[in-house]
Structures are given as C-alpha cells and as structure tokens.
Amino acid sequence: MSLENIRNIGIMAHIDAGKTTTTERILYYTGKSHKIGEVHDGAATMDWMVQEQERGITITSAATTCMWKKTNINIIDTPGHVDFTIEVERALRVLDGAIGVFDAVAGVEPQSETVWGQADKYSVPRIAFVNKMDRVGADFEMCLGEIRTKLGKTAAAIQLPIGAEDTFKGVIDLVNMKAILFKDEDLGSTVVVEEIPQDMQDDAQMAHEELIETLADFDDQLAEDYLSGESISAERISKSIREAVINHEFVAVLCGSAFKNKGVQPLLDAVRDYLPSPIDRGEVKGVNGKNHDKEEVRRPDTEDAFSGIAFKIATDPFVGSLTFFRIYSGSLKAGAQVYNPHKGKRERVNKILQMHAAKRTELQEAKAGDIIAISGLKETVTGETLCAENRTIIFDLMEFPESVISVAIEPKTTNDEKKLMTSLSQLKLEDPSFTYQHNKETGQLLIFGMGELHLEIICDRLEREFKVGIRVGDPQVSYRESITGTAKAEDTFNREQGGKMVYGHAVVEVEPTDHQSGVQFETALTKRDLPQDFLNAIEKSIKDTSMGGALAGYPFINIKAKLVAANFNEEEGSEVAYAIAASNAFREACRNAGLSLLEPKMSLEVVTPTDYTGDIISDINTKRGKIHAMSAKQDKEVIDAEVPLSEMFGYSTDIRSKSQGRANFTMNFDRYEEIPMKMAKEILEKRGIYI
C-alpha cells in the first residue's frame, strides 16, 4: 500500500455524540464487519471491554483498519467521557487527521471543546460530522454556528441535510451539487445519487457559493476565477478543500445519522478526499538521542531510518503486554531489534500485530504510516520513541493530566496481597493518568485517577480481569501542599556508615511559583563546585522528597527549589550523604517559608431546563461554587461555574433530584487553589491528621 493511500484518523467527540456508532457503520460499509454492532445492545465491535458493554460508553481507545475505495483507513475510536481524556490525548499524538462528531441537538458540548483543544495542540487536521440529524430538535445550522464561535474555527458546510428529525432522508453534496439518498431496506448500503429537490435548489446554491467564498480566503487562484465569473469545477473545489483542511485553515462540515445508516459513505469519501496521508503531514521533527541540542527529522518514507512512537500499552490475555505503535519512517520486521533512546536499551520485537478492536492479525513486516501493536517489549512505556540504533531520534514526550481523586484499597486475603502490586503496576503501565502510593501517615494504599468513574473502572478491572479481591474505601480528594513565602535552610549529614565517615552538606532556598506543576530544581553551583553525579543525586532527592510534602503527606507543587551552596569534602563526601542533606534542607526551608494546603478546583458546565435553573444555582452556591456565566440554548440554560472537587462527590444524584433527571453536567479539572488554614485544619482533622 503506497503512503498516499493511507489515512490514520481518530474519531473524537463529547460522550454520547455517536462516535462508536459511526465507527460501527464505517466497519460495516467497508466490509470489515458483516453485522452492525449497536452500543445500546452492548454489541459494538469497538467497545470490546466488559465494562464498556455494560455501561454503553467507550473507556479505552480501540484501533482497527479498513479499506475504502483503494484507501487504507486506520481508525482509532476514542472515549468521550472526561475521565478518560488521556486516551484521546495519546491517540491524537500519533494520528494524521480526525473526525469530530457532534450531536445535532446538543451542538458543541464541553468535552468536544476539550478534545478540539487537544487536536490543536498536536496540529491535527479535522473534518466535522454533525450526527443524529434524525433526532427531535436536530439543528444543523446551530451546530455549524457553534463550530465557528465556540471552537473558533473557519468552517463551512460541504453538505446540507435533506429534511430533519423524522423526515431526514439524505444529504445534498455541495461540491458536486447532487442529492444523496440512502435505502432503508438494506441498512443504507445502497446509495442513490439524484438531482437536488426543486424546493431546496435555492438553499443549495446559496450554501455552494458560501463554501466557495470561504475557500477563496485561502486560495487566491480560486478567488480570482470566482470573481471573474468563471465556473468552478467540483474537482477544483475538492482540491481547495483538501489543501485548506490539511493546512489547518478550514473545517469541512458534513451531516448524517449514523444510527439510521445515513451519511456514512460520503463521510468515508471525505476522509479519503480531504484528510491527509502520512506524506501530506510531512517530515516529523525530534532531537538526536545522544545530543538533545541537535534537531533530527524523519521523512514518511520506508527508505529512511526506522522510527516511531509507542502511544499505548494494553494487556492481551493471549499475547501478554501489547505496545500500540505508530511508525513514522522506515520499516519494521518481526524478530527485529530496535533501540529505545530514552532508556538507552535495545528491545526485541517478538510479533507485529494488526489490531481490530480485541482481535488481531499477525504481520511479518510493517512500514512507515502503519499503526500496529508489538509484543515482546520489556522497557518501553507510553510516549517513548523507538528507532534505529545507528540513527537515534527522540520525539516529543506526551503530557499527562493531574490525577485529582483517590480511593483507599486493601486486599481481601494474603494471596490477593501478592497479586495486587503486580496488577497495579500493569495498570499504571497501561494508563499514565492512573497512579498509586502508600500513604505514610495512615499506612493505606491509595489509588489516584481522573474521576469517580475512572477509579470505579480500575477497581472493577482489578477484580474481574486480574482476579484480585479488594475492599474499596470512599473517594477522597487528592490535595496538594505548597509554600506561602521564600526561605532558606542548611543541613549537614556527617556520620559513620559501614566503618567509614560520610559527609554531605547543602543549602537550599525555596520560593513559590504559579506554574501549577511540581517542584522545579535549579542550582547555583557548577561541576567545579560539586561533581555532576552529586548534583544529579541532590536534584533527585529533592524531587523524591517533594512527593511526601511536609504538612500532611500530600505532594508539593508550585515551588522552585534552588541549591545555593554545598561544601565539597573530597575524602568523605558521598552521593547518598549529599542527597540526605539536600532533602532535609529542602523540607526545613519549606516549613520556614510557611506551608499551605491546596485543593483541586473543577470547571463545571450544567445544561438544564430553565424551570430548574434557580435550584441548581442555589445548590452550586452551597457547594462553595462560583457562577461565571449563563447562556440560553434552545429551551435550556447552560451554567458555567467553578467548584471545589471536595464538594462534588455524588453530584450526579444531586442534580437528578434537583431536575427530575432532566439536567446533565460535565466537570473538568482546572487548577489547584489555596484553602484558608482554618478550613484546611478541619479537612485534615476529619482524616485524623492534626497540625
């Protein structure tokens, strides 16, 4: 398969916009599956986990591949729930293009904005599919307007719906100026192309001209031809759409109803015609694996040196650990040896697999542009680069969001205790937004995640998949500690160890920052003042110490720690002693600077019928929330607010009771904010921590 005929795409949207249903139709019409799996029946091919089938939501991104009109389309179906946003992040990191799916009734929803922001970060070209045109209240123009205003994109329709709600039967193709209808009797497989209905010709002509005028802003030749009154061919419009989409200047908007089998084949045509191939995305930049100041590039070419990114790790019951991998350049054979420049180690590729959700096909070779799974890798984790050892390159690492909620878990039996830590390690490898640690103050084992649902799924997987019996506590907020001022402290470690005197000394200064990140380390010393190994040991020690805080065992954030002095004793100095001295000095300096407790603040969006707005606002105020904005959307009110996470446990039950089940909400982590000390004391005393 030539690279021009490969499309690596993701399907992304807010929860329940119809991503998985759209993917199921794509698989059916491309002949990849011979039966349509429905999400509501728990039978969707791409939702293969038991937990996904039970809840009717996508939890983990699933990869598959299919063929459409001689174009090989690799698809990653991503979750829409905010708790699993990491799955979207790592998929977008390696994709060439994406389809944004929108609910024709709800328009641009909060998680849609989040995933479009993630796609902007990785410069992923997109097209939009306004789904659910058959639903009561479907409004194509409203969706198109919100893509322009809420997402800040230059967008134009390349299709118009024929009918809406229960009369929706097809689309008008504004490029070729034809009507496209879908036969119900064979699940929409038969596509009929007709002339545009008489009563829609004026609307279609206006939308056609609006499309050309929008494209003329990016295509000078098209603008010149249009203004001079020349007829613009469909091929010319298609070429202009393709260039504008690939250059991130334009979003082409299509419409349909995946559930009612209408509009999916033209969407596949748009993927082939407008989204980029690996060649269109061009060369990929990174840094040299041995000299990070030197830039390296790799061309999307099988003749260039092998390189790619591991973007996800999953456990397969038959193959063991699988590493999902995007090849950017070169080729890879089963049994080959590759190099991990992050770890400085060689890895052996046992098997190369092409994935179709939970099923797999073994390959002997994979090439540039392919998305595959590899078995046999021991050291490589999510986000790391693999490359040829004689031409090293490191691509940008991914950033993972903060885990803001935790639960305490404990094994039921001694046998479970043995399996628990191994299982947690495997889950952490699979999901970088999940972590765990022992709380030194309480002795509990805590697991941390993105939200209540995320932790519920983790605990469910421990019991079902890993067969570990556990008891689970109530969800807890993952607080952070910081400092309120600047201070300096000094510590000397000088004692006998193993019959020999060891010496270490450090003076550390701390100051608060507003970076919303952990501890930044700086040093005023050079290699002449202290050997590099000692400086590295001091930095590691301070960062390790910061994870335990100094107030109640929560990690430190928003602190700059500077090593300002250290007496070097050549005879008795040891790395361990200097690390201990620096750790003690850092902790003492933080205490001297004044400690504070920070809590996670969440951005909250509630969509409610107007009758219940007053009750919901009143409830948000009682939860220490702040209302930022309110806006009307059709017959509903949209409330934007910020709330402390500690007040929001069980909010789904609260909001149902306040609105007779008719309101819904989306909540995202926003930032950490200091809590007044009186309130901080009350919070900690409830947990048995006295300060």
Side-chain angles (χ1 to χ4, degrees):
M1 176 64 64
S2 70
L3 281 167
E4 291 94 339
N5 294 327
I6 291 176
R7 301 288 181 272
N8 291 316
I9 65 162
I11 299 188
M12 58 185 205
H14 188 89
I15 192 167
D16 207 28
K19 297 176 302 303
T20 302
T21 303
T22 304
T23 310
E24 293 297 323
R25 277 18 179 217
I26 287 173
L27 296 178
Y28 180 71
Y29 296 130
T30 56
K32 187 73 183 185
S33 60
H34 303 293
K35 174 176 162 287
I36 293 177
E38 299 294 9
V39 175
H40 59 270
D41 294 334
T45 309
M46 302 302 278
D47 285 349
W48 56 271
M49 288 173 69
V50 177
Q51 293 85 353
E52 293 177 314
Q53 292 165 359
E54 286 178 350
R55 291 167 175 80
I57 62 169
T58 303
I59 291 168
T60 180
S61 53
T64 189
T65 185
C66 57
M67 188 72 70
W68 179 254
K69 297 183 180 176
K70 298 182 182 175
T71 300
N72 189 46
I73 304 174
N74 296 316
I75 304 170
I76 297 182
D77 174 31
T78 64
H81 196 286
V82 67
D83 281 14
F84 309 105
T85 189
I86 181 68
E87 292 285 338
V88 186
E89 182 91 13
R90 54 188 179 184
L92 288 171
R93 173 67 182 84
V94 298
L95 292 170
D96 298 325
I99 302 169
V101 180
F102 298 90
D103 184 324
V105 179
V108 175
E109 297 173 274
Q111 188 63 6
S112 304
E113 294 182 63
T114 304
V115 295
W116 276 63
Q118 289 169 310
D120 284 338
K121 183 161 89 175
Y122 296 117
S123 301
V124 178
R126 279 145 280 172
I127 58 176
F129 180 62
V130 176
N131 191 26
K132 303 193 177 185
M133 284 302 304
D134 60 302
R135 277 187 64 198
V136 175
D139 189 337
F140 179 71
E141 288 299 325
M142 177 272 293
C143 277
L144 180 58
E146 289 199 348
I147 290 168
R148 291 169 177 156
T149 54
K150 284 194 173 183
L151 301 178
K153 299 295 176 189
T154 302
I158 63 168
Q159 292 178 352
L160 286 183
I162 300 175
E165 302 179 356
D166 57 352
T167 64
F168 176 70
K169 59 181 180 179
V171 298
I172 292 172
D173 176 354
L174 296 173
V175 177
N176 296 293
M177 293 302 280
K178 294 284 183 185
I180 303 174
L181 306 175
F182 307 87
K183 294 285 185 186
D184 288 333
E185 43 283 17
D186 60 356
L187 297 175
S189 295
T190 302
V191 179
V192 180
V193 179
E194 298 178 350
E195 293 305 314
I196 297 169
Q198 195 66 38
D199 63 339
M200 290 195 71
Q201 285 189 354
D202 290 347
D203 288 344
Q205 190 58 42
M206 280 175 62
H208 177 74
E209 288 181 13
E210 184 186 342
L211 172 62
I212 294 172
E213 285 166 9
T214 307
L215 293 170
D217 290 341
F218 318 113
D219 187 331
D220 294 341
Q221 188 58 52
L222 183 83
E224 203 175 300
D225 294 346
Y226 179 63
L227 290 171
S228 62
E230 287 188 33
S231 174
I232 313 291
S233 70
E235 292 76 17
R236 185 73 187 80
I237 295 171
S238 280
K239 181 173 178 286
S240 189
I241 292 171
R242 179 175 178 77
E243 286 172 2
V245 168
I246 290 171
N247 293 332
H248 311 288
E249 295 168 327
F250 174 73
V251 176
V253 183
L254 301 91
C255 60
S257 167
F259 182 58
K260 292 292 175 71
N261 313 310
K262 292 176 171 61
V264 177
Q265 294 96 323
L267 177 63
L268 280 164
D269 289 337
V271 167
R272 181 197 61 181
D273 295 340
Y274 306 133
L275 287 179
S277 70
I279 288 177
D280 295 316
R281 289 284 273 165
E283 59 187 25
V284 189
K285 293 179 180 175
V287 296
N288 188 282
K290 289 165 184 166
N291 176 5
H292 293 186
D293 295 326
K294 183 182 171 189
E295 188 181 82
E296 293 274 346
V297 295
R298 292 289 181 272
R299 291 174 294 107
D301 189 338
T302 52
E303 299 304 313
D304 205 346
F306 167 74
S307 71
I309 284 184
F311 65 93
K312 175 180 163 121
I313 292 171
T315 305
D316 186 289
F318 303 103
V319 186
S321 184
L322 281 179
T323 304
F324 284 73
F325 195 78
R326 162 71 194 265
I327 304 177
Y328 283 123
S329 60
S331 58
L332 180 67
K333 290 187 176 175
Q337 208 171 62
V338 292
Y339 184 69
N340 181 332
H342 301 272
K343 305 274 171 58
K345 292 189 176 179
R346 298 184 186 99
E347 291 265 45
R348 181 167 296 282
V349 175
N350 286 350
K351 290 181 179 177
I352 299 173
L353 304 166
Q354 189 174 73
M355 300 303 291
H356 175 49
K359 298 172 185 166
R360 58 207 168 276
T361 307
E362 199 166 329
L363 305 174
Q364 289 309 304
E365 185 178 19
K367 296 180 178 178
D370 287 344
I371 291 178
I372 53 167
I374 299 171
S375 73
L377 302 185
K378 301 280 193 293
E379 304 280 346
T380 304
V381 298
T382 298
E384 291 187 341
T385 304
L386 292 177
C387 59
E389 192 170 359
N390 61 344
R391 278 192 63 199
T392 60
I393 188 169
I394 294 177
F395 299 117
D396 287 345
L397 285 167
M398 300 179 201
E399 293 173 11
F400 301 122
E402 285 274 359
S403 302
V404 294
I405 186 170
S406 67
V407 294
I409 62 170
E410 61 179 42
K412 286 181 177 173
T413 66
T414 312
N415 195 34
D416 290 325
E417 192 172 353
K418 291 173 187 171
K419 290 193 289 186
L420 179 58
M421 298 315 288
T422 311
S423 304
L424 289 174
S425 301
Q426 183 60 47
L427 286 167
K428 184 169 169 51
L429 262 182
E430 290 183 26
D431 181 357
S433 64
F434 163 73
T435 187
Y436 61 93
Q437 69 179 53
H438 278 98
N439 185 319
K440 291 174 187 170
E441 305 288 327
T442 62
Q444 289 177 310
L445 175 62
L446 299 176
I447 59 172
F448 296 83
M450 299 298 298
E452 290 180 82
L453 180 61
H454 187 199
L455 292 178
E456 185 187 316
I457 299 294
I458 292 283
C459 293
D460 196 25
R461 288 189 65 196
L462 280 171
E463 295 201 300
R464 287 202 211 186
E465 207 174 301
F466 294 91
K467 306 287 189 277
V468 180
I470 53 169
R471 295 186 190 89
V472 184
D474 292 330
Q476 303 285 335
V477 177
S478 180
Y479 292 99
R480 295 289 185 267
E481 296 180 23
S482 194
I483 54 175
T484 55
T486 302
K488 191 189 292 185
E490 178 177 6
D491 190 79
T492 303
F493 184 88
N494 190 9
R495 67 181 65 163
E496 189 177 318
Q497 278 189 347
K500 181 190 171 189
M501 288 299 292
V502 292
Y503 175 85
H505 171 262
V507 181
V508 176
E509 185 177 79
V510 295
E511 64 177 89
T513 68
D514 55 3
H515 285 295
Q516 287 286 316
S517 60
V519 172
Q520 299 168 282
F521 177 79
E522 288 183 4
T523 177
L525 278 61
T526 65
K527 294 177 194 173
R528 291 180 184 176
D529 303 316
L530 208 59
Q532 187 63 47
D533 289 348
F534 285 45
L535 291 171
N536 292 345
I538 286 171
E539 178 177 1
K540 183 175 185 303
S541 173
I542 286 175
K543 289 194 170 174
D544 287 349
T545 303
S546 74
M547 296 309 293
L551 180 69
Y554 298 112
F556 273 128
I557 62 167
N558 304 0
I559 296 176
K560 182 159 75 177
K562 188 173 185 179
L563 178 68
V564 291
N567 297 329
F568 180 48
N569 182 323
E570 195 165 351
E571 287 182 17
E572 296 177 353
S574 83
E575 286 179 35
V576 173
Y578 276 89
I580 292 169
S583 170
N584 292 339
F586 168 72
R587 198 183 285 262
E588 186 60 31
C590 289
R591 287 196 187 100
N592 295 343
L595 298 170
S596 63
L597 189 69
L598 311 183
E599 69 175 345
K601 283 287 180 83
M602 315 297 283
S603 61
L604 173 72
E605 181 171 292
V606 178
V607 180
T608 175
T610 48
D611 296 355
Y612 309 109
T613 306
D615 288 346
I616 285 170
I617 289 174
S618 172
D619 188 46
I620 290 170
N621 288 333
T622 63
K623 296 180 187 300
R624 295 193 286 129
K626 288 181 190 168
I627 307 293
H628 288 316
M630 290 173 61
S631 57
K633 188 171 186 178
Q634 293 177 327
D635 59 342
K636 294 189 174 178
E637 200 80 44
V638 180
I639 303 165
D640 280 317
E642 68 171 50
V643 285
L645 175 63
S646 58
E647 304 282 349
M648 297 303 288
F649 293 129
Y651 187 59
S652 53
T653 306
D654 287 355
I655 200 170
R656 276 199 296 269
S657 66
K658 295 271 186 301
S659 67
Q660 296 182 4
R662 293 174 61 198
N664 59 67
F665 74 98
T666 306
M667 193 165 63
N668 275 307
F669 170 69
D670 184 38
R671 68 188 187 283
Y672 278 98
E673 191 174 271
E674 187 177 341
I675 310 171
M677 190 46 78
K678 184 182 175 189
M679 191 180 291
K681 282 183 177 177
E682 289 173 7
I683 289 167
L684 296 176
E685 281 171 11
K686 283 179 186 171
R687 298 189 174 197
I689 301 168
Y690 298 92
I691 55 173

